[in-house]
Amino acid sequence: MAPLNCSRLTMISLVLSVLIIGSANAQLSTNFYSKTCPKLSTTVKSTLQTAISKEARMGASILRLFFHDCFVNGCDGSILLDDTSSFTGEKNANPNRNSARGFDVIDNIKTAVENVCPGVVSCADILAIAAADSVAILGGPTWNVKLGRRDAKTASQSAANTAIPAPTSNLNTLTSMFSAVGLSSKDLVTLSGAHTIGQARCTNFRARIYNETNINAAFASTRQSNCPKASGSGDNNLAPLDLQTPSSFDNNYFKNLVQNKGLLHSDQQLFNGGSTNSIVSGYSTSPSSFSSDFAAAMIKMGNIKPLTGSNGEIRKNCRKTN
């Protein structure tokens, strides 16, 4: 066989390099599993619907898991990993400890998906689909979820402690933390609208309802009735993030902010005389604008540093690496 000349060798090398780079940096797509797992969408939604039917709050919990996953080294399923004697995950980081929930629901969805297409769908993608379905089931917008993520083999408790915005954050901190993951101040306001569903613990809003002045007095009084002033008393008592319709995905969250009825300090920061006031005002009067912008922002957030191609793995069990 004749030896390959230099230019041909160079061309082959270039093609191989492109293939390798392409596999490592593959783009997410909405039809990623259309042939390998055609029943994926119906399987996820039916399992999730059962969970939300039992407890409406679960939809908000799943959506929050996705946020907390994406903000820590990208949307890679790292938040789902359990701690072991030789591995420290993100579940006990300050933003997640005693508050992140819904892991058992993701486990149930993963089991159902494995039954129809074993070894095909990542836990990171299951979480992304479940977050979108949660919004839709609770009456919010729908969007075509981009898929093709693979699962991280590592996690970072320290990154979870520093990258996830705290309920005590001010507007500058919120803006910079969102900017750090490629999200704009508009995305910040839009995605904060996820607080139209779900509950918060007394420990996370106590300082606001007792100490802050930019709060509706009657609203503060209502919340104080179930959240004692003394730290350590009633810390885990819950209150709805949206006073009016805590189990419906709508724009009431923004109406509340305009009336100084934001539950968390970080919520009310979005409407406190700063640069985001006009966005909040707009969403408070236009539910359709909020819905369409929320769908777009969720797709954008879902694109934060995904592992694709030959990176990561497809976990068999979402709680541990293969």
Side-chain angles (χ1 to χ4, degrees):
M1 181 172 161
L4 293 170
N5 63 38
C6 254
S7 63
R8 226 173 132 199
L9 274 170
T10 303
M11 181 60 71
I12 290 170
S13 174
L14 185 63
V15 169
L16 284 172
S17 296
V18 169
L19 286 173
I20 292 167
I21 292 169
S23 73
N25 296 299
Q27 295 298 304
L28 304 182
S29 67
T30 56
N31 62 352
F32 189 83
Y33 298 109
S34 57
K35 291 181 180 175
T36 55
C37 193
K39 294 181 180 178
L40 175 60
S41 179
T42 53
T43 303
V44 173
K45 192 155 193 173
S46 63
T47 309
L48 182 65
Q49 180 79 66
T50 300
I52 293 177
S53 295
K54 291 178 183 174
E55 184 192 10
R57 183 190 173 202
M58 188 53 69
S61 297
I62 297 296
L63 181 56
R64 185 169 181 260
L65 276 187
F66 186 54
F67 275 76
H68 284 210
D69 185 38
C70 291
F71 266 73
V72 183
N73 298 326
C75 312
D76 59 3
S78 59
I79 194 172
L80 304 173
L81 292 168
D82 280 346
D83 288 0
T84 68
S85 57
S86 58
F87 176 86
T88 302
E90 296 163 17
K91 290 183 178 179
N92 282 305
N94 291 331
N96 298 326
R97 187 172 57 250
N98 299 324
S99 66
R101 59 197 299 275
F103 299 107
D104 53 337
V105 175
I106 298 300
D107 291 340
N108 292 341
I109 296 172
K110 175 66 171 174
T111 298
V113 170
E114 287 294 303
N115 285 339
V116 295
C117 44
V120 172
V121 184
S122 68
C123 297
D125 274 346
I126 284 173
L127 183 53
I129 299 167
D133 284 348
S134 292
V135 173
I137 289 169
L138 295 175
T142 59
W143 61 92
N144 294 319
V145 182
K146 292 186 175 182
L147 302 167
R149 300 169 191 80
R150 290 168 68 85
D151 295 321
K153 298 178 183 178
T154 60
S156 175
Q157 188 178 99
S158 59
N161 279 327
T162 57
I164 298 171
T168 52
S169 302
N170 62 27
L171 183 58
N172 286 340
T173 300
L174 292 168
T175 302
S176 65
M177 293 182 87
F178 272 68
S179 178
V181 293
L183 297 172
S184 67
S185 57
K186 182 181 179 182
D187 294 325
L188 157 64
V189 178
T190 309
L191 291 169
S192 294
H195 285 180
T196 182
I197 53 176
Q199 311 266 334
R201 293 182 301 145
C202 168
T203 187
N204 287 326
F205 60 83
R206 175 183 282 121
R208 169 154 170 75
I209 62 172
Y210 284 103
N211 303 332
E212 298 186 9
T213 55
N214 60 340
I215 187 168
N216 177 281
F219 172 70
S221 179
T222 298
R223 292 281 69 93
Q224 288 169 8
S225 66
N226 194 41
C227 180
K229 190 171 186 176
S231 181
S233 177
D235 283 2
N236 292 320
N237 291 356
L238 298 172
L241 286 157
D242 169 7
L243 180 69
Q244 296 151 286
T245 51
S247 296
S248 296
F249 199 97
D250 52 33
N251 71 327
N252 280 335
Y253 168 80
F254 298 104
K255 294 179 181 179
N256 293 335
L257 295 187
V258 171
Q259 297 170 27
N260 281 342
K261 294 178 181 177
L263 182 63
L264 304 177
H265 175 83
S266 56
D267 288 329
Q268 198 60 55
Q269 282 288 294
L270 304 179
F271 191 84
N272 193 40
S275 58
T276 53
N277 266 34
S278 59
I279 306 171
V280 171
S281 295
Y283 288 154
S284 74
T285 58
S286 179
S288 59
S289 294
F290 168 52
S291 288
S292 58
D293 287 354
F294 187 82
M298 284 293 288
I299 292 169
K300 187 175 176 182
M301 186 178 74
N303 272 325
I304 297 173
K305 294 195 297 186
L307 297 172
T308 58
S310 57
N311 293 318
E313 64 181 6
I314 306 296
R315 280 184 223 142
K316 297 184 180 77
N317 178 337
C318 291
R319 292 175 179 266
K320 60 183 183 180
T321 61
N322 295 339

